[in-house]
Amino acid sequence: MNVVPEGYHTVTPWLITAGRTAELIDFITAVFDATELGRVGESPNIGHAEVRIGDSVVMLFDHPDWPGTPAFLRLYVADDAGTLGRAVERGSRVVTEPTEMFWGDRVSRFADPFGNLWWLHQRVAEPSAEELTARMQDPKFKEAMNYVQSADFTPQR
């Protein structure tokens, strides 16, 4: 018997809101072209819901008595600029603009209207070990790292 059910991975994140889970599901399906797998209960009292983003399941529920606890999620996407644009159209705030990093990913971040922070990664290069070493020393990539690491994000609810 498999320890992890088919269609799931070893780690499955939870996103919890105080009565806004239905809105968050709509946001995720629109921004990430995700599929809603199901929900138990109705807004504002969804007791359990699941969406599939790419090959991963994210679980969600409403809990009106819990304090806001933002999630920090990292996703690989095929079109980082398009995904970021859809997020902004739906009320997100850009935290870092798309920036190519030395290891070959272009990275951006946005804060969604629910207080979560999303890292978008798109693979744009496959540097060899030698290229990776050179890119780590390249002032362009050092500046990129400084920019990404210096971004200020304070969760807002």
Side-chain angles (χ1 to χ4, degrees):
M1 182 163 87
N2 192 351
V3 174
V4 180
E6 186 174 332
Y8 292 82
H9 294 281
T10 304
V11 176
T12 302
W14 282 100
L15 300 178
I16 304 162
T17 71
R20 296 186 66 198
T21 293
E23 293 174 66
L24 182 53
I25 292 168
D26 291 344
F27 176 88
I28 290 170
T29 57
V31 171
F32 298 107
D33 194 28
T35 302
E36 181 178 344
L37 301 176
R39 65 175 85 179
V40 177
E42 296 297 324
S43 183
N45 295 307
I46 294 174
H48 180 85
E50 295 183 13
V51 296
R52 183 177 307 283
I53 304 172
D55 65 355
S56 298
V57 172
V58 176
M59 296 185 181
L60 310 96
F61 68 88
D62 288 312
H63 199 296
D65 299 325
W66 287 6
T69 304
F72 294 72
L73 300 149
R74 176 182 173 183
L75 291 83
Y76 275 93
V77 297
D79 177 10
D80 61 324
T83 303
L84 185 60
R86 289 189 300 276
V88 169
E89 288 171 3
R90 288 163 180 81
S92 297
R93 177 178 56 85
V94 174
V95 174
T96 52
E97 296 289 342
T99 305
E100 186 174 347
M101 306 304 287
F102 71 87
W103 63 85
D105 288 358
R106 187 168 48 232
V107 176
S108 59
R109 289 181 285 183
F110 69 87
D112 73 18
F114 308 91
N116 303 301
L117 182 66
W118 301 82
W119 272 260
L120 301 178
H121 286 244
Q122 180 176 342
R123 196 75 178 152
V124 295
E126 292 286 346
S128 66
E130 184 177 287
E131 292 169 326
L132 193 59
T133 300
R135 287 168 66 115
M136 287 175 68
Q137 301 308 315
D138 185 324
K140 173 178 95 171
F141 291 113
K142 286 183 176 185
E143 184 178 321
M145 182 63 81
N146 286 336
Y147 165 65
V148 170
Q149 289 181 336
S150 70
D152 182 28
F153 172 72
T154 302
Q156 300 172 359
R157 290 277 174 182

